[in-house]
Amino acid sequence: MPNDLYEYQAKQVEQIIVRPFAFDFPDDLDPQWIPDDIVRGHFFNGVSLTMPYLEPFLVKTMREAAEHLTEPRLIEDIRGFNGQEASHYKCHRRLNTLLKANGYPELEEVENKIDAAYKKLSKRSLRTRLAYSAGFECMTNGFTTWLINRRHALFHGASAHVTSFWLMHMVEETEHKTVAFDTYMAYSGAYLPRFLGVFHGSFHVIGYGMLGMFAALKKDEILTSPKCIAGLIRHMGSLIWHVGPFLLRALLPWHNPRGEADPEWMQEWVAGHATLADSSSLPLVDTNDPDMPVPFTAEVSLA
Ligand SMILES: [Fe+2]
Ligand SMILES: [Fe+2]
């Protein structure tokens, strides 16, 4: 039932823009696209595997919720959210097809497990699915800040195509970061399910992402090597250190994603993208540049 106490609040961004994801991944794309850290590359590939199942689930859940809502600005936000998520999963699917074709066909087994998990989740109540969606999106906010602000440490020298894709995805996640939360608040607003949704949404996705990562590391026959174990500890430590505080803040009864500042690079990216004459051709981030600036040549000024 809709929450009568819900009131719409302004977002940090004026508009949620649906952009084409015109990434032409090379056919011979190396699944180990972060050459100096195989574990990290496989982790992001594992998370990518979940997206063509998770993101359509989010779209369906939000569409179903919109039928119960009347606030026109929120309904407009949901439209933008769904448009962006639909572009994301289609591009992830293209990337995942290459990962499987270029050395890791066993990832299909992981995809089958993810598919079954989302079919099961889709049978839960709308409130539970919305709490999951809001919780997952809160975690994504931390993920975004981690990827954008630590882009040099994470992606230095990595594939420009995959790096640019992940960063663009994260920019749009920041842009629509309020929508799943607002939809949950407008539909229910109850605290306990939202609290549980933070764990449910975050650990479910990261868990399946890790399953994909372990499948790839097993294929590489390095899963039990000391170097791989050290890489796993380092990478998971970094994830917990950077994303954990976002999860803890999301658990607070007064939490609102509007309280999280948008990274400056994200704002520069949005302003830079708006200067593109043809938005269907996306310039790539230079992963060899120590600053990894936004990939747009026009001067942009932030308001
Ligand atoms: Fe997304
Ligand atoms: Fe999202």
Side-chain angles (χ1 to χ4, degrees):
M1 285 298 289
N3 172 13
D4 292 336
L5 299 173
Y6 170 75
E7 269 180 48
Y8 186 84
Q9 287 177 272
K11 309 185 288 297
Q12 278 126 313
V13 294
E14 270 175 43
Q15 223 191 327
I16 296 169
I17 302 165
V18 180
R19 306 173 178 88
F21 269 67
F23 289 105
D24 245 339
F25 299 114
D27 287 342
D28 62 350
L29 181 104
D30 185 352
Q32 297 181 4
W33 55 277
I34 306 179
D36 64 358
D37 200 324
I38 293 169
V39 171
R40 195 185 304 136
H42 283 327
F43 171 76
F44 286 114
N45 294 345
V47 176
S48 178
L49 285 189
T50 68
M51 295 296 150
Y53 303 94
L54 161 74
E55 289 179 314
F57 162 85
L58 297 176
V59 169
K60 269 177 78 178
T61 302
M62 301 294 277
R63 200 180 283 150
E64 199 179 316
E67 288 170 18
H68 299 270
L69 307 176
T70 51
E71 166 57 63
R73 290 166 293 182
L74 180 54
I75 290 170
E76 190 56 36
D77 286 350
I78 290 174
R79 208 167 284 137
F81 176 99
N82 283 352
Q84 288 191 337
E85 297 293 23
S87 302
H88 300 169
Y89 78 73
K90 284 173 194 158
C91 201
H92 276 286
R93 192 183 281 151
R94 294 209 306 274
L95 174 62
N96 299 346
T97 300
L98 284 169
L99 300 177
K100 286 180 285 176
N102 293 351
Y104 297 89
E106 34 294 275
L107 293 179
E108 196 176 330
E109 275 174 44
V110 180
E111 286 181 319
N112 293 340
K113 286 185 183 147
I114 300 169
D115 186 24
Y118 279 97
K119 280 186 177 135
K120 198 170 156 200
L121 188 60
S122 297
K123 295 188 180 123
R124 303 289 300 271
S125 72
L126 180 56
R127 187 176 75 171
T128 298
R129 285 180 281 134
L130 283 171
Y132 174 102
S133 307
F136 166 74
E137 288 279 315
C138 286
M139 192 269 293
T140 307
N141 209 3
F143 217 77
T144 295
T145 306
W146 179 42
L147 263 61
I148 288 181
N149 290 349
R150 301 275 303 156
R151 60 191 179 280
H152 177 72
L154 294 171
F155 303 123
H156 174 68
S159 155
H161 284 90
V162 187
T163 302
S164 303
F165 167 47
W166 267 111
L167 291 175
M168 179 174 175
H169 185 168
M170 293 300 108
V171 163
E172 292 199 346
E173 289 300 322
T174 308
E175 215 169 26
H176 72 227
K177 69 180 181 184
T178 53
V179 184
F181 174 84
D182 286 2
T183 306
Y184 177 79
M185 296 309 280
Y187 180 77
S188 163
Y191 174 60
L192 187 62
R194 188 181 73 70
F195 178 95
L196 297 173
V198 172
F199 293 105
H200 192 190
S202 307
F203 293 133
H204 194 245
V205 177
I206 294 294
Y208 279 106
M210 287 176 69
L211 207 62
M213 172 183 74
F214 286 128
L217 290 171
K218 201 170 152 202
K219 169 75 184 275
D220 293 340
E221 297 180 356
I222 57 169
L223 190 53
T224 52
S225 76
K227 195 178 168 200
C228 177
I229 292 167
L232 280 169
I233 293 169
R234 199 173 53 241
H235 186 67
M236 289 306 135
S238 180
L239 171 73
I240 293 164
W241 178 259
H242 291 281
V243 182
F246 283 81
L247 293 190
L248 294 178
R249 288 196 290 275
L251 295 172
L252 298 170
W254 53 86
H255 173 73
N256 188 318
R258 289 165 180 80
E260 305 287 2
D262 291 347
E264 204 171 294
W265 194 91
M266 169 266 179
Q267 297 174 52
E268 285 174 12
W269 192 100
V270 168
H273 186 274
T275 66
L276 275 188
D278 174 10
S279 66
S280 66
S281 80
L282 291 164
L284 300 178
V285 173
D286 180 359
T287 61
N288 291 311
D289 186 314
D291 286 335
M292 288 173 62
V294 295
F296 308 105
T297 46
E299 280 288 311
V300 292
S301 64
L302 299 179

